[in-house]
Each structure stands twice: as C-alpha cells, then as structure tokens.
C-alpha cells in the first residue's frame, strides 16, 4: 500500500478524533481508545506481507506494549488537576510510559 495513502488515512483518523473531542470529550476519548491505529497497522502490514506468524507476533507484542502506556492516561489528568501545565503533564506521562516500556522489555 503506498506510503502516502497510509499517511492520509492515519491523519484523517487523528484529525477526526481531535474534532469530535473538541465538542464531545468523552466520545473523542472513546474513539481514541479504540485500537483503530493498531488495526490499521495490521491491515497495512498484512497487505504488504501476509504472513500469519508475523501478524501473530505483531498482535501479541502490541498487547504487551499497550499495558505500560495505560498509567499515562491516569497520571496526566491527575497532574493537570493539581495545576501542572499541559506540556509538563504530557512530558511526565510520556517519560513514565517509556520507563514502563523498558520494564516490560526487561521482563520479556
């Protein structure tokens, strides 16, 4: 699948989520929480290389990498509610996620 098509589809997805979230934050969060990016990634990967074992490994690895990203979505609102600036909260959440990714890789 051409790179440009993948880029456009991904951009439309992100822009749609942001547009919906501006008016209805909970609905935007629901859409963002769906594994749409993961599903698109699997579709793109399968279209380029239809290999069952590769897809199974990719899907399983995605599961394990989603888990350490979840605490970020609790830390960011907690920091924002305590008066932290958005960019600082986002940075701390991202650092926490990277650290948890490293823990997952180390455990694996």
């Amino acid at each position: 699948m051409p790179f440009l098509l993948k880029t456009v589809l991904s951009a439309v997805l992100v822009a749609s989520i942001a547009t919906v979230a501006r008016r209805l934050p909970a609905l935007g969060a629901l859409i963002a929480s769906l594994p749409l990016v993961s599903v698109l990634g699997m579709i793109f990967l399968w279209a380029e290389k239809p290999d069952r074992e590769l897809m199974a490994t990719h899907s399983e690895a995605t599961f394990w990498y989603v888990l350490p990203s979840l605490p970020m979505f609790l830390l960011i609102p907690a920091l924002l509610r305590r008066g932290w600036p958005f960019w600082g909260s986002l940075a701390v959440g991202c650092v926490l996620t990277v650290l948890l990714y490293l823990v997952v890789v180390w455990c694996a």
Side-chain angles (χ1 to χ4, degrees), residues 20-55:
V20 169
R22 218 176 323 140
R23 296 178 67 86
L24 301 166
L27 181 58
L30 173 64
I31 296 168
S33 72
L34 297 172
L36 299 173
V37 172
S38 296
V39 170
L40 275 177
M42 288 189 286
I43 290 168
F44 297 157
L45 179 60
W46 187 261
E48 292 176 12
K49 188 173 182 181
D51 178 320
R52 289 175 191 250
E53 186 54 37
L54 177 66
M55 186 58 65

Side-chain angles (χ1 to χ4, degrees), residues 70-84:
L70 295 178
M72 175 180 73
F73 296 104
L74 296 175
L75 179 60
I76 290 172
L79 293 175
L80 290 170
R81 289 188 177 113
R82 285 177 175 75
W84 280 56

Side-chain angles (χ1 to χ4, degrees), residues 10-29:
S10 302
V12 167
L13 176 64
V14 172
S16 297
I17 291 168
T19 301
V20 169
R22 218 176 323 140
R23 296 178 67 86
L24 301 166
L27 181 58

